């Protein structure tokens, strides 16, 4: 395993005194997650647009993203190595970006498809052109599904980045590989708990943002109950 | 591209298939772990999902718990259980079961939810008990989504079972891990292709299973309900 010069190393067999190690890798983990999910979302939008406009491409898109998801992470890292380099974290981020597509494309498309037909007809009747209708009518109304997809993609990415540990990288995953090799159980536990806390916090943040962005959804639910 | 061709060549060389280090044994281990883990996950997740769907209770708790549950990092579980029970299959099985539970629970709940209220009322009106309504009405009607959940879980399990190679427990992952060290990219490509092939084959088997298990009446109206009921409120159910 490569030792990064600036990366702090776990000291001893206890948690005390190692908080800076946890923090260092948690921040790295956070950075990778944000980049991967944002990049995945930016990629997924045009793909979803395509799938909605040309329904025939949807099964193909689902199939391809599914196959990408099935490619073992390690293989993706190595495949991208020659282009992105073996000694940095770009392959991990790119692999995670690709993995998010299978969740994001599907959720965006299904969210858009759930927009009621009369609403679309009304938009057409008001003279909206296809792209404007997509951006100002379909996307906002699809937000609940999109937010659900983002939450799922974020949580899975947080959990998946750890596989970078097998090439000596990958944020909190480092604590797993290091704890495994040096037989420090506490370090593995710390990585596990920190990963879950990070996922929980990000999940809650997106959930809260989603609620703020879709006030109508709340109102409707309140009315029904 | 060349690497892929080399990988196919490695896969199609008969000598590579036999023996203790052969592909055949690795595929067998891969499928066996996946099968056991998926079955165990079903045994845990189906009762929970059916209970939540049928009673309508605990839905919010389930949604949140499964959300957090998904955050459990597979490699972390593998290494931790390995430290505790080294040289057994437990590290891999435990990690894969944990991975497979959330999609099955969520999709089972969504499947029962997707049964139209009037159908349920009709079942009640005909005098079915709760138990009878669950097995004779709700499960058959929710079957497409319940199966989708199991399929999704099996997919993820097979794609992830390679982590067993990380702790020397076999599966196709062994080739991938050892090939990283020895820089045998043909082996890495070949083993990866084999993993993808396994996922696709199992996917196909589930399509057949779907035909066998979903009653004709339900199948006829599945596509639309799939779209409507499955996605909007709990879009999260469609796991990768």
């Amino acid at each position: 395993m490569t030792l990064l010069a600036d990366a702090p190393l776990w000291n001893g067999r206890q948690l005390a005194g190692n908080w800076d190690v946890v923090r260092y890798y948690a921040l790295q983990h956070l950075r990778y997650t944000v980049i991967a999910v944002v990049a995945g979302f930016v990629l997924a939008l045009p793909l979803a647009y395509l799938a909605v406009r040309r329904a025939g491409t949807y099964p193909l898109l689902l199939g391809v993203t599914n196959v990408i998801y099935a490619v073992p992470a390690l293989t993706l890292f190595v495949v991208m190595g020659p282009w992105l380099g073996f000694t940095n974290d770009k392959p991990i981020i790119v692999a995670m970006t690709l993995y998010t597509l299978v969740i994001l494309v599907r959720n965006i498309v299904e969210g858009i498809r759930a927009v009621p037909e009369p609403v679309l007809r009304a938009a057409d009747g008001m003279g909206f052109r296809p792209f404007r209708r997509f951006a100002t009518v379909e996307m906002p109304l699809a937000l609940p599904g999109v937010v659900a997809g983002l939450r799922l993609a974020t949580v899975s990415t947080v959990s998946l980045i750890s596989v970078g540990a097998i090439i000596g990288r990958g944020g909190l995953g480092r604590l797993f590989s290091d704890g495994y090799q040096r037989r420090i159980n506490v370090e593995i536990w710390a990585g596990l708990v920190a990963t879950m806390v990070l996922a929980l916090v990000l999940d809650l943040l997106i959930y809260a943002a989603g609620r703020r962005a879709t006030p109508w959804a709340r109102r409707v639910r309140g009315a029904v109950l | 591209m060349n690497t892929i061709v080399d990988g196919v060549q490695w896969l199609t060389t008969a000598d590579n298939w036999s023996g203790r280090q052969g592909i055949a044994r690795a595929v067998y281990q891969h499928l066996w772990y996946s099968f056991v883990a998926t079955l165990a996950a079903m045994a845990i997740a189906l009762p929970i999902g059916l209970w939540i769907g049928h009673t309508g209770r605990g839905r919010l708790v389930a949604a949140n718990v499964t959300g957090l549950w998904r955050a459990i990092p597979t490699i972390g579980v593998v290494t931790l259980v390995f430290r505790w029970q080294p040289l057994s299959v437990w590290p891999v099985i435990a990690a894969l079961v944990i991975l497979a539970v959330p999609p099955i629970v969520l999709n089972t709940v969504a499947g029962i939810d997707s049964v139209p209220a009037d159908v349920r009322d009709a079942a009640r009106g005909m005098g079915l008990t709760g138990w009878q309504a669950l097995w004779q009405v709700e499960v058959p009607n929710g079957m497409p989504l319940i199966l989708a959940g199991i399929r999704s879980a099996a997919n993820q399990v097979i794609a992830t079972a390679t982590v067993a190679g990380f702790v020397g427990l076999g599966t196709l992952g062994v080739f991938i891990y050892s090939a990283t060290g020895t820089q045998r990219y043909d082996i890495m490509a070949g083993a990866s292709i084999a993993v993808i092939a396994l996922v696709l084959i199992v996917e196909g088997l589930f399509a057949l299973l779907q035909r066998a298990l979903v009653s004709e009446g339900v199948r006829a109206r599945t596509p639309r309900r799939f779209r409507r009921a499955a996605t909007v409120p709990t879009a999260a159910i469609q796991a990768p």
Side-chain angles (χ1 to χ4, degrees):
Chain A
M1 296 282 159
T2 46
L3 268 181
L4 304 174
D6 58 334
L9 194 67
W10 196 275
N11 236 321
R13 315 196 68 78
Q14 76 298 330
L15 182 61
N18 287 312
W19 284 100
D20 58 322
V21 184
V22 177
R23 204 187 55 204
Y24 176 88
Y25 288 114
L27 285 177
Q28 196 182 47
H29 209 107
L30 175 67
R31 203 163 61 236
Y32 295 170
T33 306
V34 172
I35 298 174
V37 173
V38 169
F41 188 65
V42 169
L43 268 177
L45 271 182
L47 293 176
Y49 182 74
L50 181 74
V52 170
R53 285 290 163 267
R54 308 223 180 291
T57 59
Y58 187 40
L60 184 73
L61 270 174
L62 283 186
V64 170
T65 49
N66 232 339
V67 166
I68 293 176
Y69 192 81
V71 180
L74 191 55
T75 309
L76 274 184
F77 298 157
V78 173
V79 167
M80 290 181 292
W83 291 294
L84 301 172
F86 287 100
T87 51
N88 63 55
D89 297 313
K90 284 181 204 152
I92 297 178
I93 298 174
V94 174
M96 292 307 134
T97 304
L98 291 175
Y99 283 156
T100 60
L101 289 181
V102 73
I103 301 168
L104 290 175
V105 170
R106 180 184 301 228
N107 273 279
I108 298 175
V109 172
E110 300 292 353
I112 291 171
R113 283 189 171 179
V115 176
E117 191 70 31
V119 174
L120 300 181
R121 296 233 188 95
D124 288 341
M126 287 169 69
F128 279 42
R129 317 203 66 169
F131 184 76
R132 184 158 172 233
R133 194 184 86 175
F134 179 76
T136 63
V137 177
E138 285 166 279
M139 273 308 284
L141 287 176
L143 266 183
V146 174
V147 169
L150 275 176
R151 289 175 68 187
L152 183 55
T154 306
V155 171
S156 349
T157 303
V158 169
S159 151
L160 269 173
I161 282 182
S162 310
V163 300
I166 55 199
I167 53 169
R169 301 185 167 275
L172 290 162
R174 275 285 291 159
L175 301 183
F176 301 144
S177 52
D178 194 64
Y180 173 68
Q181 282 167 352
R182 294 164 63 199
R183 299 161 184 248
I184 308 173
N185 284 350
V186 178
E187 190 178 2
I188 304 178
W189 273 110
L192 205 74
V193 173
T195 307
M196 292 181 67
V197 170
L198 186 62
L200 184 66
V201 170
L202 287 176
D203 190 46
L204 285 176
L205 281 178
I206 303 175
Y207 170 72
R211 265 180 79 92
R212 277 193 72 97
T214 56
W216 65 86
R218 222 174 320 161
R219 221 171 292 137
V220 169
R221 193 165 300 160
V224 171
L225 288 172
Chain B
M1 268 307 154
N2 253 339
T3 322
I4 294 178
V5 176
D6 291 344
V8 173
Q9 202 154 35
W10 176 78
L11 265 184
T12 48
T13 305
D15 283 351
N16 294 334
W17 280 78
S18 54
R20 277 185 61 81
Q21 316 274 325
I23 302 172
R25 191 174 138 86
V27 168
Y28 169 75
Q29 281 171 328
H30 205 113
L31 287 176
W32 179 240
Y33 292 161
S34 303
F35 181 69
V36 170
T38 308
L39 268 192
M42 282 166 67
I44 298 168
L46 283 177
I48 298 174
L50 291 176
W51 184 79
I52 295 171
H54 181 70
T55 62
R57 264 180 281 172
R59 190 162 313 214
L60 201 67
V61 177
N64 289 313
V65 170
T66 45
L68 188 59
W69 187 278
R70 276 185 207 276
I72 302 175
T74 308
I75 287 270
V77 176
V78 171
T79 48
L80 200 62
V81 179
F82 186 85
R83 294 279 305 120
W84 177 45
Q85 293 278 319
L87 308 178
S88 70
V89 294
W90 288 109
V92 185
I93 299 293
L96 294 181
V97 169
I98 288 175
L99 185 73
V101 163
I104 303 180
V105 170
L106 289 175
N107 274 288
T108 305
V109 174
I112 303 293
D113 271 352
S114 74
V115 180
D118 47 355
V119 173
R120 273 181 218 230
D121 290 346
R124 264 292 143 89
M126 287 171 66
L128 296 190
T129 64
W131 189 253
Q132 286 170 327
L134 175 67
W135 288 107
Q136 295 172 22
V137 177
E138 291 169 354
V139 169
N141 275 288
M143 193 54 91
L145 273 175
I146 297 175
L147 277 180
I150 299 172
R151 191 192 62 202
S152 166
N155 260 351
Q156 289 181 66
V157 164
I158 296 172
T160 313
T162 47
V163 294
F166 184 55
V167 286
L169 286 171
T171 73
L172 288 161
V174 169
F175 297 113
I176 298 173
Y177 287 98
S178 62
T180 338
T182 54
Q183 308 211 333
R184 284 289 303 273
Y185 297 126
D186 57 332
I187 294 183
M188 176 174 272
S192 305
I193 293 168
V195 174
I196 297 169
L198 287 186
V199 169
L200 293 179
I201 291 169
V202 170
E203 186 104 321
L205 288 179
F206 269 100
L208 292 178
L209 199 64
Q210 182 116 2
R211 289 193 70 82
L213 287 185
V214 175
S215 88
E216 214 152 313
V218 175
R219 205 183 309 152
R221 47 173 212 269
T222 298
R224 229 179 62 225
R225 268 205 290 119
F226 219 111
R227 269 209 292 279
R228 292 276 145 82
T231 48
V232 199
T234 42
I237 50 167
Q238 285 300 345

